[in-house]
């Protein structure tokens, strides 16, 4: 059983634990790939399920926001071209 708790660091917090981004990314990617469930990852790495659940939700929201941002950016040039033709 590989525990990542040794890699915890307290960074500008007076409570709780903070994990390096690399640990968060590793755990979330293993869950997203189907290698582990949230619960089994929590047991394997010695990290609370609530913490892992929040990482997965955070990753999902970030992915969602990025995909929406891409759609907006891709749509804007079309809108600009369309508006410029209407303004002629």
């Amino acid at each position: 059983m590989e525990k990542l708790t040794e890699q915890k660091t307290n960074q500008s917090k007076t409570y709780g634990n903070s994990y390096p981004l690399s640990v968060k990314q590793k755990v979330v990617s293993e869950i997203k790939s189907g290698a582990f469930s949230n619960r089994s990852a929590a047991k394997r790495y010695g990290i609370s399920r609530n913490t892992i659940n929040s990482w997965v939700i955070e990753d999902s929201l970030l992915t969602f926001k990025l995909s929406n941002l891409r759609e907006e950016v891709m749509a804007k040039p079309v809108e600009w071209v369309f508006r410029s033709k209407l303004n002629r």
Side-chain angles (χ1 to χ4, degrees):
M1 182 181 298
E2 179 185 354
K3 293 207 179 230
L4 298 177
T5 53
E6 297 81 39
Q7 297 179 7
K8 290 183 204 177
T9 58
N10 287 326
Q11 299 172 350
S12 69
K13 285 187 178 181
T14 57
Y15 63 93
N17 297 312
S18 180
Y19 294 87
L21 182 59
S22 60
V23 171
K24 294 177 182 181
Q25 289 172 335
K26 179 179 181 179
V27 173
V28 170
S29 68
E30 289 178 349
I31 290 170
K32 288 175 73 175
S33 73
F36 296 104
S37 66
N38 292 19
R39 186 176 186 169
S40 61
K43 281 185 177 182
R44 177 181 174 98
Y45 295 116
I47 301 171
S48 79
R49 281 187 290 162
N50 287 340
T51 298
I52 290 178
N53 289 342
S54 70
W55 293 350
V56 172
I57 290 169
E58 184 180 299
D59 180 74
S60 297
L61 290 174
L62 181 61
T63 303
F64 178 74
K65 286 179 182 177
L66 287 175
S67 68
N68 283 346
L69 181 61
R70 275 190 216 109
E71 288 175 14
E72 284 181 34
V73 168
M74 294 301 290
K76 283 194 183 214
V78 173
E79 288 176 16
W80 292 334
V81 169
F82 185 71
R83 284 184 188 163
S84 66
K85 287 183 179 180
L86 284 177
N87 292 333
R88 290 184 183 177

